[in-house]
Amino acid sequence: MDFEVLIMGSDANAYYMARCCYEKYHKKAHLIGAYYRAFTKYSNILTIEYDKEIWNEEGFLNALKRYRKTHEGKILLIVSNETYAEFIAKNREELKKDFYFNYPSIEIIKSLTTKELFYKTYENSCLDFPKTLYYDCQKKEKMECDFSYPLIVKPSNVVEYNHIEFEGKKKIYKVSSEKELNEVIHWIQESGYQDTLIIQEFIPGDDSHLFDAVVYADRNKKVSLISFAQIGLQEHASKMVGNAAILINGYNTYDGNVESMTEKIKTFMEEIGYMGFAEFDMKYDERDHKFKVLEINARQGRCSYYISTVGFNLVETMVDDLLLEKDKPYHFIQEEVLLSFVPKKVAKMYIKNEAFKKKALANWRHHVNPMKCKMDKSFLRKILLLKLRKRYMEEYKNGYWKD
């Protein structure tokens, strides 16, 4: 079958989706990115162009039209962030004439990506969440909170927040006092952010209390696969906190009921009528033995590549579903896979959960790094990966995030 794969984005997510395409079909995906990103530089397993206008809806649609004009046949369309997923959802009827894609309605995407709407909409669902308060940035009032410190502060509107840049910007803020809480709120208000902030209790525990699940719901809105991985170490750089750096699928050092949680995820996704890939970010709460959902990303996550190594290639999953219209039975992916973006030295020095560390180090020779593809033989890329390795050492040494 002849088809093309078009990926909108130039980040790590975009790279490993192109890698999935090349590993399965020996076909180079074409990427259109708004900005030059190190993750997709100097690669010989993909082609890439840059168009800064795709960061707005009109520019995004124009880029798709240009690509369609020069490519006949079937085109599988994949995006690497929620902004682009929203653009597709809002223009679904027009785009489905020229592209194959699998994203839910704009209403569902908004209900997931707008955090205030997410927690309020699904508070009575089968999922569990941290205790949460909301702060309206337009009111500019002092925030009083009766939760115990430390607290987590994050933007409700991720899409709006991603379009704002200011000194000291962080993806997630961890504050230890009321004074610090109000300082962070003031900084974000001054940046021009106009939406709600989420104020949450900090669930105790180091990075190994974090868990990741990759979910795929097919064109019929039926969940066909779910993974469940324990994170041993998350990224500690200010703009990367919340992203897994090291995880092991099919592994869990705590006593939470994983199968019960995956059934909850399956039920939830089918009840809301979800379609496509999604990623669940969770934290295990030892106080009540529950996996608390922190957020759901309406696309594959930054680390979701790991399921490809055990027979669930992400691009193949979409091709089989959308282009070949194969109906597949539900599968809970329990095979063990160790994924790491960071060097072994970082694992040795910064993983706090000793059981997890022992497991990871024992299996290190078989670990997978989404950015390292044996087929990608570019010499310049090898140099780039060495630089990224060095950067990781510095980021953990000077990292802002502390458990």
Side-chain angles (χ1 to χ4, degrees):
M1 179 182 58
D2 190 29
F3 66 96
E4 301 295 331
V5 176
L6 175 61
I7 300 173
M8 303 302 287
S10 55
D11 57 8
N13 189 318
Y15 178 81
Y16 79 67
M17 290 301 284
R19 175 179 177 177
C20 286
C21 179
Y22 198 81
E23 288 177 334
K24 178 62 185 179
Y25 301 104
H26 303 288
K27 178 193 296 286
K28 291 185 180 183
H30 184 69
L31 279 60
I32 304 178
Y35 305 103
Y36 290 89
R37 302 291 296 274
F39 305 107
T40 41
K41 276 186 177 180
Y42 311 128
S43 173
N44 57 22
I45 64 167
L46 56 86
T47 59
I48 189 167
E49 63 177 283
Y50 298 95
D51 179 357
K52 65 181 180 180
E53 297 303 319
I54 66 170
W55 203 229
N56 65 71
E57 186 174 340
E58 183 180 1
F60 181 88
L61 296 174
N62 287 338
L64 293 185
K65 289 175 184 176
R66 287 197 306 271
Y67 185 85
R68 172 79 271 186
K69 285 181 180 179
T70 57
H71 294 82
E72 297 181 354
K74 297 179 178 181
I75 303 173
L76 179 64
L77 177 61
I78 301 170
V79 303
S80 66
N81 62 62
E82 283 91 347
T83 296
Y84 300 156
E86 285 191 11
F87 294 161
I88 290 176
K90 288 166 69 176
N91 297 276
R92 173 182 301 278
E93 294 306 311
E94 185 65 27
L95 291 176
K96 72 180 184 181
K97 298 174 185 177
D98 294 313
F99 300 94
Y100 289 81
F101 53 84
N102 199 14
Y103 295 97
S105 68
I106 187 61
E107 292 78 16
I108 291 175
I109 292 179
K110 285 288 189 182
S111 76
L112 300 178
T113 58
T114 304
K115 304 308 178 189
E116 179 180 10
L117 187 59
F118 171 56
Y119 294 118
K120 289 181 176 179
T121 301
Y122 303 119
E123 62 182 347
N124 295 318
S125 71
C126 61
L127 303 178
D128 297 297
F129 303 99
K131 294 177 183 178
T132 303
L133 295 173
Y134 310 95
Y135 180 85
D136 185 349
C137 280
Q138 295 193 52
K139 291 185 177 179
K140 297 191 174 182
E141 298 173 348
K142 184 178 180 181
M143 179 67 189
E144 295 184 359
C145 179
D146 58 1
F147 290 174
S148 298
Y149 286 90
L151 298 176
I152 297 297
V153 182
K154 55 187 178 182
S156 171
N157 190 329
V158 176
V159 173
E160 178 185 333
Y161 189 73
N162 284 345
H163 285 74
I164 296 171
E165 290 296 331
F166 59 95
E167 186 176 353
K169 179 183 177 182
K170 297 177 175 63
K171 181 182 176 184
I172 300 170
Y173 300 81
K174 184 178 177 183
V175 299
S176 56
S177 66
E178 183 177 327
K179 179 177 180 292
E180 191 176 353
L181 171 63
N182 283 288
E183 285 177 348
V184 167
I185 290 173
H186 176 72
W187 296 338
I188 296 174
Q189 286 174 322
E190 291 300 305
S191 75
Y193 178 78
Q194 295 292 306
D195 214 314
T196 304
L197 291 176
I198 303 299
I199 315 295
Q200 281 183 334
E201 65 170 341
F202 174 74
I203 297 172
D206 62 32
D207 287 354
S208 70
H209 288 71
L210 297 169
F211 286 79
D212 174 271
V214 181
V215 186
Y216 185 75
D218 65 21
R219 68 195 184 283
N220 300 313
K221 304 178 183 179
K222 296 294 183 182
V223 172
S224 61
L225 64 84
I226 296 178
S227 68
F228 205 89
Q230 182 175 8
I231 296 171
L233 193 65
Q234 67 174 315
E235 302 264 3
H236 283 196
S238 62
K239 292 186 179 181
M240 296 296 288
V241 170
N243 291 311
I246 303 174
L247 61 73
I248 304 175
N249 185 63
Y251 186 69
N252 176 24
T253 61
Y254 300 111
D255 58 1
N257 190 324
V258 170
E259 290 198 19
S260 173
M261 186 61 199
T262 56
E263 284 301 317
K264 286 184 179 181
I265 291 172
K266 182 175 184 293
T267 298
F268 174 82
M269 296 298 266
E270 291 182 347
E271 283 184 348
I272 69 172
Y274 194 87
M275 294 190 297
F277 277 109
E279 182 196 39
F280 277 64
D281 289 336
M282 299 160 285
K283 190 167 186 180
Y284 178 66
D285 193 336
E286 290 187 279
R287 299 170 298 183
D288 57 12
H289 310 289
K290 293 180 179 179
F291 293 97
K292 305 290 177 66
V293 178
L294 305 178
E295 63 181 15
I296 303 174
N297 295 311
R299 38 82 184 164
Q300 67 281 354
R302 185 174 181 269
C303 61
S304 298
Y305 175 79
Y306 65 90
I307 68 171
S308 291
T309 66
V310 288
F312 297 90
N313 183 293
L314 286 91
V315 172
E316 181 186 17
T317 297
M318 300 177 75
V319 169
D320 285 353
D321 177 30
L322 304 177
L323 277 64
L324 301 179
E325 296 188 351
K326 292 182 180 179
D327 295 324
K328 296 184 178 181
Y330 168 68
H331 189 93
F332 173 30
I333 306 172
Q334 301 184 66
E335 294 87 343
E336 284 192 2
V337 183
L338 170 63
L339 173 143
S340 179
F341 281 91
V342 300
K344 188 175 183 179
K345 187 174 181 180
V346 168
K348 286 181 177 179
M349 294 178 64
Y350 296 100
I351 295 177
K352 293 185 177 181
N353 183 318
E354 291 300 325
F356 187 99
K357 182 190 294 188
K358 183 178 179 181
K359 180 76 171 180
L361 295 179
N363 291 281
W364 198 265
R365 63 182 297 184
H366 303 297
H367 88 280
V368 59
N369 183 331
M371 298 299 100
K372 286 186 177 181
C373 175
K374 291 181 179 179
M375 296 180 179
D376 206 344
K377 300 182 184 299
S378 163
F379 177 74
L380 288 176
R381 183 166 180 83
K382 290 180 180 179
I383 299 298
L384 175 67
L385 292 176
L386 288 173
K387 290 181 178 179
L388 290 176
R389 177 188 176 95
K390 182 179 180 181
R391 189 188 73 186
Y392 269 121
M393 294 298 298
E394 291 298 316
E395 285 181 353
Y396 278 91
K397 180 180 179 181
N398 304 310
Y400 118 92
W401 187 261
K402 307 295 179 186
D403 293 318

